[in-house]
């Protein structure tokens, strides 16, 4: 008796990423699916190195987005949402044009606004991110995917800062505040410090990309600018 065997066609997934944040939220997905799908990747910037070092068997794509998608015909395109945006948006728009399922994965609140492509699925880091994404894309399927790559961050926390925060947790509330380089939020932050209880301690943080950026016409970095502005409140600012 002869048995008929049929080759099962694996799904094809194309991943697109540029910066570390995009790589951190897309690589874990690829790692989970590598044994059950054919994986392709179009990467640039820091993400290109992280993808190459991952050990995941991607077939790399270097073609124009539309040509690449016409050639591969993936079942879905999975894009990070880097800043500044480049290939992720281009592949997203190409997926829209060709009727291919588009999945966008955020690594920060509101990342979905960076691309003009229309996603079918959006992965967000938490419920707040989901609410914001749903307002922008009411027809998309919103999934809280978290930030699975955060433990593999390229940035190690300063040990002295960690010790200080742990000490403060015993006596009061610790609030981490993201600082902006688009607007000067020093004055607003100082008002918040002055109007809140002494038990509230502020941990102001700049995005890693902005630490060494210079304040226009001032000749100093944003890190030095905020450090100086908040120095009178050293007992309440880490």
């Amino acid at each position: 008796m002869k048995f008929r065997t049929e080759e099962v066609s694996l799904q094809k997934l194309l991943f697109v990423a540029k910066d570390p944040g995009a790589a951190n939220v897309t690589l874990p997905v690829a790692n989970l699916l590598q044994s059950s799908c054919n994986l392709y990747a179009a990467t640039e910037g820091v993400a290109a190195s992280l993808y190459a070092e991952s050990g995941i068997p991607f077939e790399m794509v270097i073609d124009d987005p539309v040509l690449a998608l016409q050639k591969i015909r993936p079942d879905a395109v999975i894009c990070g949402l880097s800043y500044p945006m480049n290939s992720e948006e281009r592949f997203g728009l190409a997926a829209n044009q060709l009727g291919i399922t588009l999945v966008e994965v955020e690594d920060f609140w509101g990342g979905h606004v960076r691309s003009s492509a229309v996603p079918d699925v959006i992965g967000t880091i938490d419920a707040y991110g989901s609410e914001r994404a749903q307002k922008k894309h009411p027809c998309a399927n919103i999934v809280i995917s978290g930030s699975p790559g955060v433990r593999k961050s390229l940035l190690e926390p300063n040990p002295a800062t960690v010790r200080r925060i742990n000490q403060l947790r015993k006596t009061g509330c610790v609030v981490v505040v993201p600082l902006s380089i688009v607007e000067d939020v020093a004055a607003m932050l100082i008002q918040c410090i002055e109007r809140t209880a002494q038990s509230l301690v502020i941990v102001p943080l700049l995005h890693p990309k902005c630490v060494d950026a210079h304040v226009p016409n001032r000749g100093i970095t944003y890190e030095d600018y905020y450090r100086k502005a908040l120095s009178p409140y050293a007992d309440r600012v880490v």
Side-chain angles (χ1 to χ4, degrees):
M1 180 181 293
K2 293 183 179 180
F3 292 93
R4 181 181 177 183
T5 60
E6 295 183 359
E7 184 178 347
V8 178
S9 178
L10 298 180
Q11 285 195 321
K12 299 177 182 179
L13 301 177
L14 172 61
F15 290 80
V16 190
K18 176 184 177 183
D19 69 11
N24 281 342
V25 293
T26 54
L27 277 174
V29 179
N31 184 53
L32 184 66
L33 299 174
Q34 62 176 309
S35 62
S36 58
C37 298
N38 289 323
L39 305 182
Y40 300 80
T43 58
E44 57 182 323
V46 177
S49 298
L50 295 175
Y51 266 64
E53 296 167 1
S54 71
I56 300 173
F58 292 103
E59 182 174 329
M60 303 310 293
V61 175
I62 58 174
D63 294 331
D64 170 84
V66 173
L67 292 177
L69 296 186
Q70 287 175 332
K71 182 187 301 183
I72 300 169
R73 295 305 302 180
D75 293 279
V77 175
I78 302 174
C79 294
L81 292 163
S82 303
Y83 179 82
M85 180 68 61
N86 186 28
S87 59
E88 294 148 323
E89 181 177 45
R90 293 170 57 227
F91 272 91
L93 291 171
N96 288 164
Q97 178 182 333
L98 297 173
I100 298 172
T101 298
L102 174 61
V103 180
E104 292 182 341
V105 189
E106 292 186 335
D107 63 278
F108 198 78
W109 296 308
H112 60 276
V113 303
R114 296 172 180 169
S115 175
S116 59
V118 180
D120 299 287
V121 180
I122 304 176
T124 65
I125 61 174
D126 58 18
Y128 175 65
S130 294
E131 290 176 7
R132 295 189 60 175
Q134 196 75 72
K135 289 179 181 178
K136 174 73 173 179
H137 297 289
C139 295
N141 182 16
I142 311 297
V143 179
I144 298 177
S145 52
S147 186
V150 70
R151 287 175 294 179
K152 297 183 179 179
S153 172
L154 297 176
L155 296 173
E156 292 294 331
N158 183 301
T161 300
V162 173
R163 287 195 297 271
R164 177 64 174 148
I165 292 175
N166 287 335
Q167 292 172 354
L168 294 168
R169 279 199 178 110
K170 298 175 182 178
T171 58
C173 178
V174 178
V175 179
V176 178
V177 180
L179 298 178
S180 172
I181 67 169
V182 179
E183 299 180 37
D184 185 349
V185 297
M188 180 185 69
L189 189 53
I190 288 172
Q191 288 185 39
C192 292
I193 294 171
E194 292 178 341
R195 295 182 183 183
T196 55
Q198 288 294 321
S199 60
L200 186 64
V201 178
I202 308 297
V203 184
L205 293 176
L206 279 165
H207 190 283
K209 290 183 179 179
C210 306
V211 171
D212 296 324
H214 280 72
V215 182
N217 305 318
R218 296 202 185 187
I220 60 173
T221 65
Y222 280 95
E223 182 180 33
D224 290 337
Y225 167 71
Y226 278 113
R227 191 184 303 277
K228 182 178 179 180
L230 300 174
S231 60
Y233 306 91
D235 61 325
R236 302 193 50 205
V237 177
V238 176

